[in-house]
Amino acid sequence: MASDSSAAAFGGLWRPLGSPQQLKKSQLKSSRWFKPANGVFSSTSTSVSSRFIFVLNANPPPLKFCTGASSSSSSSSLSAQAGVCDGSSSSAYDAACLCVSLALQGQTQELRYREIHVRPPAVGKEDSKRNAPFVIECETPEHSKRLMEVLDGRIVHALGDKPLAAWAALEPTTAAKDERPKLPTSTDVRDLGVPGIALVENFVTAAEERELLAFLGEDGTWESLAKRCVRHYGYAFRYATSDVAESPDRSWPDAIAHLAHRVGAMCKSGVAKACSYGDEDFDVSTSFDQVTVNDYPAGVGIAPHVDTPRAFGPTLASVSLGSSCVFEMIYDTNAPGYESRTRRRSAGDARNDDDGEPAFTRRRLLVPRRSLLVLSGSARNEWSHSVPSHKSDDVNGVPMPRSRRVSLTLRDVAGAPERRL
Ligand SMILES: O=C(O)CCC(=O)C(=O)O
Ligand SMILES: [Fe+2]
Protein backbone atom coordinates (compact mmCIF):
# COMPACT_ATOMS: atom_id res chain seq x y z
CA MET A 1 0.00 0.00 0.00
CA ALA A 2 1.22 3.48 -0.66
CA SER A 3 1.64 5.73 2.35
CA ASP A 4 -0.50 8.80 3.04
CA SER A 5 2.08 11.02 1.45
CA SER A 6 1.28 9.38 -1.87
CA ALA A 7 -2.21 10.89 -1.74
CA ALA A 8 -0.59 14.30 -1.66
CA ALA A 9 1.75 13.29 -4.42
CA PHE A 10 -1.28 12.47 -6.52
CA GLY A 11 -2.75 15.88 -5.87
CA GLY A 12 -5.64 14.32 -3.95
CA LEU A 13 -6.73 12.21 -6.87
CA TRP A 14 -6.36 8.98 -5.02
CA ARG A 15 -7.33 7.75 -1.63
CA PRO A 16 -7.05 4.31 -0.07
CA LEU A 17 -10.34 2.42 -0.13
CA GLY A 18 -9.74 0.71 3.17
CA SER A 19 -9.57 -3.02 3.17
CA PRO A 20 -8.60 -4.40 -0.22
CA GLN A 21 -11.20 -7.05 0.62
CA GLN A 22 -13.82 -4.70 -0.81
CA LEU A 23 -12.19 -4.84 -4.16
CA LYS A 24 -11.89 -8.57 -4.72
CA LYS A 25 -13.30 -9.32 -8.14
CA SER A 26 -15.35 -12.36 -8.79
CA GLN A 27 -14.02 -12.79 -12.29
CA LEU A 28 -10.62 -13.77 -10.97
CA LYS A 29 -11.78 -17.31 -10.67
CA SER A 30 -8.44 -18.87 -10.03
CA SER A 31 -5.67 -18.40 -7.56
CA ARG A 32 -3.19 -17.70 -10.32
CA TRP A 33 -2.83 -14.09 -9.17
CA PHE A 34 -1.87 -13.37 -5.60
CA LYS A 35 -1.07 -10.64 -3.09
CA PRO A 36 1.67 -10.74 -0.50
CA ALA A 37 0.45 -11.09 3.09
CA ASN A 38 -0.79 -7.72 4.44
CA GLY A 39 0.60 -6.08 1.34
CA VAL A 40 4.14 -6.67 2.57
CA PHE A 41 6.74 -8.75 0.79
CA SER A 42 8.58 -10.89 3.27
CA SER A 43 11.58 -13.11 2.65
CA THR A 44 9.15 -16.01 2.30
CA SER A 45 6.89 -14.26 -0.24
CA THR A 46 6.30 -16.14 -3.42
CA SER A 47 8.62 -14.86 -6.12
CA VAL A 48 6.79 -12.95 -8.80
CA SER A 49 7.02 -12.47 -12.52
CA SER A 50 7.07 -9.04 -14.12
CA ARG A 51 3.32 -9.10 -14.67
CA PHE A 52 0.37 -8.17 -12.57
CA ILE A 53 -3.33 -7.92 -13.15
CA PHE A 54 -5.32 -4.78 -12.68
CA VAL A 55 -9.10 -4.50 -12.51
CA LEU A 56 -11.27 -1.42 -12.69
CA ASN A 57 -14.47 -2.19 -10.88
CA ALA A 58 -16.91 0.37 -12.23
CA ASN A 59 -18.06 1.50 -15.61
CA PRO A 60 -15.53 4.18 -16.45
CA PRO A 61 -17.19 7.55 -16.85
CA PRO A 62 -16.30 9.75 -19.80
CA LEU A 63 -12.89 11.04 -18.80
CA LYS A 64 -12.80 14.75 -18.31
CA PHE A 65 -9.31 14.67 -16.99
CA CYS A 66 -6.77 16.27 -19.23
CA THR A 67 -3.04 16.57 -19.31
CA GLY A 68 -3.02 20.12 -18.01
CA ALA A 69 -4.04 18.88 -14.58
CA SER A 70 -0.92 16.82 -14.16
CA SER A 71 1.95 19.17 -13.93
CA SER A 72 4.55 16.97 -12.36
CA SER A 73 8.00 16.96 -13.88
CA SER A 74 7.49 13.62 -15.53
CA SER A 75 4.11 14.45 -17.08
CA SER A 76 5.51 15.26 -20.49
CA SER A 77 6.69 11.73 -21.03
CA LEU A 78 3.31 10.44 -19.88
CA SER A 79 0.90 12.89 -21.36
CA ALA A 80 0.17 10.83 -24.43
CA GLN A 81 -1.63 8.29 -22.28
CA ALA A 82 -3.29 10.73 -19.90
CA GLY A 83 -5.27 12.57 -22.51
CA VAL A 84 -8.93 13.37 -22.80
CA CYS A 85 -11.15 10.45 -23.53
CA ASP A 86 -14.61 10.80 -24.97
CA GLY A 87 -16.10 7.88 -23.07
CA SER A 88 -16.31 5.74 -26.18
CA SER A 89 -15.71 2.02 -26.25
CA SER A 90 -12.04 2.35 -25.44
CA SER A 91 -12.63 4.25 -22.22
CA ALA A 92 -11.77 1.35 -19.92
CA TYR A 93 -8.47 0.96 -21.67
CA ASP A 94 -7.76 4.69 -21.53
CA ALA A 95 -8.74 4.80 -17.88
CA ALA A 96 -6.32 1.98 -17.11
CA CYS A 97 -3.56 3.80 -18.93
CA LEU A 98 -4.44 6.93 -17.02
CA CYS A 99 -4.36 5.17 -13.66
CA VAL A 100 -0.97 3.72 -14.43
CA SER A 101 0.29 7.07 -15.66
CA LEU A 102 -0.79 8.77 -12.45
CA ALA A 103 0.81 6.06 -10.39
CA LEU A 104 4.06 6.52 -12.22
CA GLN A 105 4.04 10.27 -11.87
CA GLY A 106 3.26 10.34 -8.20
CA GLN A 107 5.07 7.41 -6.76
CA THR A 108 7.72 5.82 -8.80
CA GLN A 109 9.51 8.48 -10.75
CA GLU A 110 12.19 6.14 -11.92
CA LEU A 111 9.67 4.00 -13.75
CA ARG A 112 9.01 5.25 -17.20
CA TYR A 113 5.90 4.56 -19.19
CA ARG A 114 7.84 2.75 -21.88
CA GLU A 115 8.71 0.15 -19.26
CA ILE A 116 5.15 -1.08 -18.93
CA HIS A 117 2.57 -2.33 -21.28
CA VAL A 118 -1.15 -2.30 -20.57
CA ARG A 119 -2.93 -5.09 -22.35
CA PRO A 120 -6.58 -4.34 -22.95
CA PRO A 121 -9.04 -7.14 -22.24
CA ALA A 122 -9.95 -9.51 -25.05
CA VAL A 123 -11.87 -7.69 -27.74
CA GLY A 124 -15.44 -8.75 -28.32
CA LYS A 125 -16.36 -9.54 -24.73
CA GLU A 126 -19.62 -7.80 -23.98
CA ASP A 127 -18.62 -6.73 -20.50
CA SER A 128 -15.07 -5.80 -21.35
CA LYS A 129 -15.75 -2.23 -20.33
CA ARG A 130 -16.88 -3.25 -16.87
CA ASN A 131 -14.69 -5.18 -14.47
CA ALA A 132 -12.14 -5.41 -17.21
CA PRO A 133 -8.96 -7.15 -16.14
CA PHE A 134 -5.86 -5.54 -17.60
CA VAL A 135 -2.56 -7.31 -17.62
CA ILE A 136 0.31 -4.94 -16.97
CA GLU A 137 3.67 -6.09 -18.17
CA CYS A 138 6.65 -4.34 -16.57
CA GLU A 139 10.29 -4.76 -17.36
CA THR A 140 11.19 -6.28 -14.02
CA PRO A 141 9.39 -7.96 -11.13
CA GLU A 142 10.47 -5.05 -8.91
CA HIS A 143 8.58 -2.66 -11.15
CA SER A 144 5.47 -4.80 -11.08
CA LYS A 145 5.63 -4.99 -7.26
CA ARG A 146 5.92 -1.23 -6.92
CA LEU A 147 3.14 -0.52 -9.39
CA MET A 148 0.87 -2.98 -7.66
CA GLU A 149 1.52 -1.36 -4.30
CA VAL A 150 0.62 2.03 -5.73
CA LEU A 151 -2.47 1.01 -7.65
CA ASP A 152 -4.05 -1.62 -5.44
CA GLY A 153 -7.03 -0.65 -3.34
CA ARG A 154 -7.24 2.89 -4.73
CA ILE A 155 -10.11 4.87 -5.99
CA VAL A 156 -9.77 7.54 -8.64
CA HIS A 157 -11.94 10.58 -7.99
CA ALA A 158 -11.10 13.09 -10.63
CA LEU A 159 -12.40 11.06 -13.56
CA GLY A 160 -16.02 12.07 -13.40
CA ASP A 161 -19.07 11.38 -11.24
CA LYS A 162 -18.47 7.68 -10.94
CA PRO A 163 -15.24 6.78 -9.20
CA LEU A 164 -13.13 3.95 -10.50
CA ALA A 165 -11.72 1.49 -8.03
CA ALA A 166 -8.53 -0.35 -8.80
CA TRP A 167 -7.66 -3.83 -7.64
CA ALA A 168 -4.37 -5.45 -8.45
CA ALA A 169 -2.63 -8.75 -7.87
CA LEU A 170 0.71 -10.18 -8.87
CA GLU A 171 1.58 -13.16 -10.98
CA PRO A 172 3.79 -15.75 -9.30
CA THR A 173 6.72 -17.08 -11.31
CA THR A 174 6.29 -20.49 -12.86
CA ALA A 175 8.70 -21.93 -10.32
CA ALA A 176 6.68 -20.44 -7.46
CA LYS A 177 3.50 -21.92 -8.88
CA ASP A 178 5.10 -25.37 -8.88
CA GLU A 179 6.20 -24.92 -5.27
CA ARG A 180 2.65 -24.44 -4.03
CA PRO A 181 1.33 -27.27 -1.89
CA LYS A 182 -0.78 -29.59 -4.00
CA LEU A 183 -4.47 -29.71 -3.19
CA PRO A 184 -5.73 -33.08 -2.00
CA THR A 185 -8.05 -34.92 -4.37
CA SER A 186 -11.21 -36.39 -2.86
CA THR A 187 -12.26 -39.81 -4.03
CA ASP A 188 -15.59 -39.58 -2.21
CA VAL A 189 -17.97 -36.64 -2.60
CA ARG A 190 -18.79 -36.82 1.10
CA ASP A 191 -15.26 -35.66 1.86
CA LEU A 192 -15.39 -32.91 -0.72
CA GLY A 193 -17.48 -30.36 1.16
CA VAL A 194 -19.39 -29.17 -1.89
CA PRO A 195 -23.13 -29.25 -1.19
CA GLY A 196 -25.34 -30.74 -3.89
CA ILE A 197 -22.88 -33.03 -5.64
CA ALA A 198 -23.30 -36.77 -6.24
CA LEU A 199 -21.06 -39.36 -7.85
CA VAL A 200 -22.31 -42.79 -8.90
CA GLU A 201 -19.38 -45.02 -9.76
CA ASN A 202 -19.68 -47.71 -12.45
CA PHE A 203 -22.87 -46.15 -13.72
CA VAL A 204 -22.20 -47.71 -17.14
CA THR A 205 -20.54 -51.07 -17.69
CA ALA A 206 -17.46 -51.54 -19.86
CA ALA A 207 -19.69 -53.05 -22.57
CA GLU A 208 -22.09 -50.07 -22.46
CA GLU A 209 -19.15 -47.70 -22.62
CA ARG A 210 -17.87 -49.45 -25.77
CA GLU A 211 -21.31 -49.31 -27.34
CA LEU A 212 -21.82 -45.64 -26.56
CA LEU A 213 -18.38 -44.70 -27.90
CA ALA A 214 -19.03 -46.74 -31.06
CA PHE A 215 -22.41 -45.04 -31.50
CA LEU A 216 -20.91 -41.57 -31.05
CA GLY A 217 -18.10 -42.45 -33.47
CA GLU A 218 -20.60 -43.19 -36.22
CA ASP A 219 -23.33 -40.70 -35.51
CA GLY A 220 -23.27 -37.37 -37.29
CA THR A 221 -20.59 -34.73 -37.24
CA TRP A 222 -18.65 -32.97 -34.51
CA GLU A 223 -18.34 -29.23 -34.03
CA SER A 224 -14.75 -28.15 -33.39
CA LEU A 225 -14.04 -25.78 -30.53
CA ALA A 226 -10.52 -24.52 -29.74
CA LYS A 227 -9.28 -27.75 -28.19
CA ARG A 228 -12.15 -30.17 -28.07
CA CYS A 229 -15.03 -31.34 -30.23
CA VAL A 230 -18.66 -31.13 -29.20
CA ARG A 231 -22.00 -32.40 -30.35
CA HIS A 232 -25.50 -31.68 -29.09
CA TYR A 233 -28.67 -33.72 -28.92
CA GLY A 234 -32.17 -32.42 -28.28
CA TYR A 235 -31.26 -28.73 -28.37
CA ALA A 236 -28.27 -27.00 -29.90
CA PHE A 237 -26.12 -25.03 -27.48
CA ARG A 238 -24.73 -21.74 -28.79
CA TYR A 239 -21.39 -21.02 -27.16
CA ALA A 240 -21.27 -17.41 -28.34
CA THR A 241 -24.41 -16.46 -26.39
CA SER A 242 -24.42 -19.26 -23.78
CA ASP A 243 -27.93 -20.13 -24.79
CA VAL A 244 -29.92 -22.94 -26.35
CA ALA A 245 -32.15 -22.94 -29.41
CA GLU A 246 -35.75 -21.99 -28.66
CA SER A 247 -37.16 -25.36 -29.59
CA PRO A 248 -35.68 -28.82 -30.01
CA ASP A 249 -33.86 -28.84 -33.33
CA ARG A 250 -31.61 -31.84 -32.92
CA SER A 251 -32.18 -35.54 -33.19
CA TRP A 252 -32.83 -37.65 -30.10
CA PRO A 253 -31.57 -41.10 -31.07
CA ASP A 254 -32.50 -44.19 -29.06
CA ALA A 255 -29.04 -44.54 -27.49
CA ILE A 256 -29.26 -40.99 -26.14
CA ALA A 257 -32.92 -41.29 -25.09
CA HIS A 258 -32.06 -44.50 -23.25
CA LEU A 259 -29.15 -42.88 -21.41
CA ALA A 260 -31.19 -39.79 -20.51
CA HIS A 261 -33.95 -42.04 -19.18
CA ARG A 262 -31.48 -44.04 -17.08
CA VAL A 263 -29.82 -40.93 -15.65
CA GLY A 264 -33.21 -39.39 -14.83
CA ALA A 265 -34.34 -42.62 -13.16
CA MET A 266 -31.10 -42.83 -11.18
CA CYS A 267 -31.61 -39.31 -9.89
CA LYS A 268 -35.23 -39.98 -8.96
CA SER A 269 -34.51 -43.34 -7.36
CA GLY A 270 -32.63 -41.74 -4.53
CA VAL A 271 -29.43 -43.64 -5.31
CA ALA A 272 -27.74 -40.47 -6.48
CA LYS A 273 -28.99 -38.76 -3.35
CA ALA A 274 -27.45 -41.51 -1.24
CA CYS A 275 -24.11 -40.87 -2.95
CA SER A 276 -24.28 -37.15 -2.40
CA TYR A 277 -23.02 -34.53 -0.02
CA GLY A 278 -25.54 -32.01 1.26
CA ASP A 279 -28.92 -33.70 0.76
CA GLU A 280 -31.08 -30.64 1.25
CA ASP A 281 -29.37 -29.01 -1.70
CA PHE A 282 -30.05 -31.96 -3.89
CA ASP A 283 -32.76 -31.48 -6.46
CA VAL A 284 -33.63 -34.73 -8.15
CA SER A 285 -36.74 -33.68 -10.03
CA THR A 286 -35.10 -33.25 -13.41
CA SER A 287 -35.92 -34.95 -16.68
CA PHE A 288 -33.13 -34.48 -19.16
CA ASP A 289 -33.94 -33.22 -22.66
CA GLN A 290 -30.58 -31.87 -23.84
CA VAL A 291 -27.25 -33.66 -24.15
CA THR A 292 -23.87 -32.15 -24.96
CA VAL A 293 -21.11 -34.56 -25.85
CA ASN A 294 -17.57 -33.29 -25.22
CA ASP A 295 -14.72 -35.17 -26.87
CA TYR A 296 -11.49 -34.16 -25.14
CA PRO A 297 -8.11 -35.25 -26.54
CA ALA A 298 -5.74 -36.61 -23.88
CA GLY A 299 -4.84 -33.87 -21.41
CA VAL A 300 -7.46 -31.36 -22.55
CA GLY A 301 -10.08 -30.08 -20.11
CA ILE A 302 -12.68 -27.38 -19.74
CA ALA A 303 -12.27 -23.97 -18.08
CA PRO A 304 -14.12 -23.04 -14.86
CA HIS A 305 -17.73 -22.14 -15.57
CA VAL A 306 -21.27 -22.36 -14.25
CA ASP A 307 -23.69 -23.80 -16.81
CA THR A 308 -25.92 -20.87 -17.53
CA PRO A 309 -29.03 -21.02 -15.28
CA ARG A 310 -30.85 -18.93 -17.88
CA ALA A 311 -30.70 -21.81 -20.32
CA PHE A 312 -30.64 -24.90 -18.13
CA GLY A 313 -32.58 -26.29 -15.19
CA PRO A 314 -31.52 -27.13 -11.62
CA THR A 315 -29.63 -30.37 -12.20
CA LEU A 316 -26.68 -31.24 -14.44
CA ALA A 317 -25.38 -34.75 -14.99
CA SER A 318 -22.21 -35.92 -16.65
CA VAL A 319 -21.27 -39.44 -17.74
CA SER A 320 -17.53 -40.01 -18.25
CA LEU A 321 -16.30 -42.41 -20.91
CA GLY A 322 -12.79 -43.41 -21.95
CA SER A 323 -10.81 -41.81 -19.14
CA SER A 324 -11.00 -40.72 -15.55
CA CYS A 325 -10.16 -37.13 -14.72
CA VAL A 326 -10.05 -34.70 -11.83
CA PHE A 327 -12.82 -32.13 -11.55
CA GLU A 328 -12.04 -28.88 -9.83
CA MET A 329 -14.82 -27.01 -8.08
CA ILE A 330 -14.23 -23.34 -7.27
CA TYR A 331 -16.23 -21.14 -4.95
CA ASP A 332 -15.69 -17.40 -4.71
CA THR A 333 -15.92 -16.64 -1.00
CA ASN A 334 -16.67 -13.00 -1.71
CA ALA A 335 -20.11 -13.98 -2.97
CA PRO A 336 -22.83 -13.39 -0.34
CA GLY A 337 -23.87 -16.32 1.85
CA TYR A 338 -20.61 -18.21 1.68
CA GLU A 339 -20.57 -19.28 5.34
CA SER A 340 -24.07 -20.67 5.42
CA ARG A 341 -23.64 -22.61 2.21
CA THR A 342 -20.25 -24.15 2.75
CA ARG A 343 -20.25 -26.15 5.90
CA ARG A 344 -16.69 -27.36 5.96
CA ARG A 345 -13.33 -26.03 5.20
CA SER A 346 -10.42 -28.30 4.67
CA ALA A 347 -6.68 -27.92 4.64
CA GLY A 348 -7.04 -28.04 0.87
CA ASP A 349 -8.64 -24.64 0.64
CA ALA A 350 -6.63 -22.48 -1.70
CA ARG A 351 -5.83 -19.13 -0.13
CA ASN A 352 -4.85 -16.08 -2.06
CA ASP A 353 -6.06 -13.48 0.35
CA ASP A 354 -4.01 -11.24 2.57
CA ASP A 355 -5.88 -11.57 5.83
CA GLY A 356 -6.07 -15.33 6.22
CA GLU A 357 -9.54 -15.65 4.73
CA PRO A 358 -9.61 -17.70 1.57
CA ALA A 359 -10.66 -15.63 -1.41
CA PHE A 360 -11.41 -18.74 -3.41
CA THR A 361 -12.14 -22.24 -2.24
CA ARG A 362 -10.94 -24.91 -4.57
CA ARG A 363 -11.83 -28.58 -4.21
CA ARG A 364 -10.71 -31.48 -6.35
CA LEU A 365 -12.70 -34.63 -7.03
CA LEU A 366 -11.58 -37.77 -8.82
CA VAL A 367 -14.25 -38.55 -11.42
CA PRO A 368 -13.70 -42.14 -12.53
CA ARG A 369 -14.27 -43.44 -16.03
CA ARG A 370 -17.82 -44.83 -16.47
CA SER A 371 -19.16 -42.81 -13.53
CA LEU A 372 -22.14 -40.47 -13.32
CA LEU A 373 -21.55 -37.07 -11.74
CA VAL A 374 -24.59 -35.01 -10.70
CA LEU A 375 -24.45 -31.32 -9.81
CA SER A 376 -27.38 -29.67 -8.11
CA GLY A 377 -28.10 -26.86 -5.64
CA SER A 378 -24.91 -25.01 -4.62
CA ALA A 379 -22.69 -27.32 -6.64
CA ARG A 380 -24.65 -26.42 -9.76
CA ASN A 381 -25.39 -22.75 -9.17
CA GLU A 382 -22.71 -21.31 -6.92
CA TRP A 383 -19.60 -23.35 -7.48
CA SER A 384 -17.97 -23.29 -10.88
CA HIS A 385 -16.76 -26.60 -12.25
CA SER A 386 -13.83 -27.32 -14.49
CA VAL A 387 -11.56 -30.08 -15.69
CA PRO A 388 -8.05 -28.62 -15.58
CA SER A 389 -5.96 -29.46 -18.62
CA HIS A 390 -3.27 -31.92 -17.55
CA LYS A 391 -1.62 -34.78 -19.36
CA SER A 392 -1.57 -36.53 -16.03
CA ASP A 393 -3.67 -35.89 -12.93
CA ASP A 394 -2.01 -35.87 -9.54
CA VAL A 395 -4.21 -37.90 -7.22
CA ASN A 396 -2.69 -37.39 -3.78
CA GLY A 397 0.82 -37.94 -5.04
CA VAL A 398 -0.05 -40.70 -7.50
CA PRO A 399 0.17 -39.66 -11.17
CA MET A 400 -2.85 -40.72 -13.22
CA PRO A 401 -2.25 -40.29 -16.96
CA ARG A 402 -5.29 -38.99 -18.79
CA SER A 403 -6.34 -40.40 -22.14
CA ARG A 404 -9.04 -39.27 -24.54
CA ARG A 405 -12.18 -38.59 -22.54
CA VAL A 406 -15.70 -38.36 -23.90
CA SER A 407 -18.33 -36.96 -21.57
CA LEU A 408 -22.06 -36.70 -22.03
CA THR A 409 -23.53 -33.77 -20.12
CA LEU A 410 -27.26 -34.10 -19.59
CA ARG A 411 -29.32 -31.03 -18.87
CA ASP A 412 -32.90 -29.90 -18.79
CA VAL A 413 -33.67 -26.91 -20.94
CA ALA A 414 -35.17 -24.28 -18.64
CA GLY A 415 -38.76 -23.55 -19.49
CA ALA A 416 -38.93 -25.99 -22.37
CA PRO A 417 -42.62 -26.47 -23.17
CA GLU A 418 -42.35 -30.14 -23.99
CA ARG A 419 -40.67 -32.89 -22.08
CA ARG A 420 -39.33 -35.95 -23.76
CA LEU A 421 -39.51 -38.13 -20.68
O1 LIG B 1 -16.69 -32.97 -19.31
C1 LIG B 1 -17.47 -32.85 -18.39
O2 LIG B 1 -17.81 -33.80 -17.67
C2 LIG B 1 -18.07 -31.50 -18.07
C3 LIG B 1 -18.60 -30.79 -19.25
C4 LIG B 1 -19.25 -29.50 -18.87
O3 LIG B 1 -19.03 -28.96 -17.83
C5 LIG B 1 -20.17 -28.86 -19.79
O4 LIG B 1 -20.38 -29.35 -20.91
O5 LIG B 1 -20.75 -27.83 -19.42
FE1 LIG C 1 -20.49 -27.48 -17.36
Side-chain angles (χ1 to χ4, degrees):
M1 280 294 131
S3 65
D4 282 343
S5 62
S6 69
F10 289 129
L13 289 176
W14 300 72
R15 68 170 171 82
L17 254 193
S19 163
Q21 191 81 19
Q22 297 165 352
L23 294 174
K24 291 279 156 47
K25 299 314 302 171
S26 58
Q27 77 264 44
L28 298 173
K29 289 277 184 205
S30 82
S31 54
R32 180 170 166 221
W33 305 92
F34 91 109
K35 291 178 195 228
N38 304 318
V40 175
F41 287 92
S42 69
S43 54
T44 54
S45 284
T46 311
S47 57
V48 297
S49 79
S50 59
R51 293 168 13 129
F52 72 100
I53 198 161
F54 172 43
V55 178
L56 298 171
N57 84 335
N59 264 322
L63 302 184
K64 295 281 190 298
F65 188 85
C66 62
T67 51
S70 52
S71 54
S72 85
S73 57
S74 57
S75 65
S76 57
S77 64
L78 305 168
S79 57
Q81 298 297 337
V84 177
C85 169
D86 62 1
S88 67
S89 59
S90 66
S91 58
Y93 175 68
D94 291 345
C97 291
L98 178 60
C99 293
V100 173
S101 300
L102 291 171
L104 290 172
Q105 288 173 47
Q107 262 281 301
T108 51
Q109 298 284 341
E110 73 273 34
L111 280 177
R112 289 287 172 265
Y113 204 85
R114 63 182 161 73
E115 291 167 334
I116 64 160
H117 177 63
V118 182
R119 277 191 211 157
V123 185
K125 290 222 161 128
E126 247 321 290
D127 64 348
S128 65
K129 281 162 260 163
R130 214 158 38 93
N131 298 335
F134 296 87
V135 177
I136 313 275
E137 184 114 40
C138 302
E139 279 194 343
T140 68
E142 283 311 308
H143 289 172
S144 81
K145 279 184 194 174
R146 259 176 293 158
L147 264 179
M148 191 207 78
E149 283 164 10
V150 173
L151 286 169
D152 187 40
R154 302 279 151 166
I155 196 154
V156 186
H157 274 302
L159 302 179
D161 296 338
K162 266 199 246 162
L164 283 179
W167 186 91
L170 291 155
E171 184 188 53
T173 57
T174 316
K177 276 182 237 161
D178 293 344
E179 279 160 22
R180 280 191 211 168
K182 294 220 162 72
L183 286 180
T185 304
S186 299
T187 52
D188 183 331
V189 283
R190 283 161 293 197
D191 300 332
L192 190 68
V194 176
I197 189 165
L199 184 68
V200 182
E201 293 192 24
N202 295 311
F203 178 70
V204 292
T205 63
E208 286 167 334
E209 179 188 43
R210 268 196 307 278
E211 280 162 26
L212 269 168
L213 286 172
F215 162 76
L216 293 169
E218 286 160 15
D219 186 57
T221 54
W222 295 92
E223 180 185 337
S224 285
L225 301 183
K227 292 199 173 153
R228 66 184 201 273
C229 291
V230 293
R231 170 178 314 163
H232 307 286
Y233 290 102
Y235 291 74
F237 182 71
R238 307 187 194 108
Y239 290 90
T241 51
S242 288
D243 216 340
V244 282
E246 300 239 309
S247 49
D249 64 347
R250 297 289 166 111
S251 66
W252 194 247
D254 287 349
I256 296 296
H258 179 66
L259 186 77
H261 181 76
R262 276 193 61 203
V263 174
M266 172 61 81
C267 288
K268 289 191 184 92
S269 75
V271 174
K273 193 165 183 159
C275 304
S276 75
Y277 171 70
D279 285 355
E280 68 273 28
D281 283 300
F282 208 76
D283 187 316
V284 291
S285 60
T286 295
S287 297
F288 299 100
D289 57 9
Q290 196 274 344
V291 174
T292 292
V293 186
N294 284 291
D295 187 343
Y296 305 93
V300 170
I302 187 165
H305 65 279
V306 175
D307 288 30
T308 178
R310 202 164 26 92
F312 298 118
T315 306
L316 315 172
S318 172
V319 176
S320 291
L321 306 177
S323 179
S324 303
C325 70
V326 168
F327 257 68
E328 223 170 75
M329 307 291 296
I330 303 174
Y331 191 93
D332 178 358
T333 58
N334 293 307
Y338 168 76
E339 284 303 335
S340 57
R341 284 194 299 261
T342 305
R343 277 154 276 173
R344 280 194 237 176
R345 287 185 183 180
S346 76
D349 287 352
R351 287 161 197 269
N352 72 340
D353 211 337
D354 49 10
D355 58 4
E357 280 296 300
F360 302 98
T361 302
R362 229 159 24 112
R363 303 283 166 86
R364 286 163 55 88
L365 175 69
L366 178 64
V367 174
R369 176 177 180 178
R370 296 197 287 276
S371 67
L372 166 68
L373 178 73
V374 185
L375 302 180
S376 185
S378 287
R380 184 259 181 273
N381 292 308
E382 287 146 20
W383 292 70
S384 54
H385 54 275
S386 66
V387 179
S389 295
H390 293 310
K391 289 262 182 255
S392 172
D393 286 306
D394 176 279
V395 180
N396 304 321
V398 179
M400 239 182 63
R402 215 180 298 158
S403 41
R404 174 187 168 213
R405 175 172 174 268
V406 176
S407 71
L408 294 101
T409 304
L410 296 94
R411 299 178 281 213
D412 142 57
V413 172
E418 56 186 65
R419 289 277 175 265
R420 291 176 186 275
L421 298 171

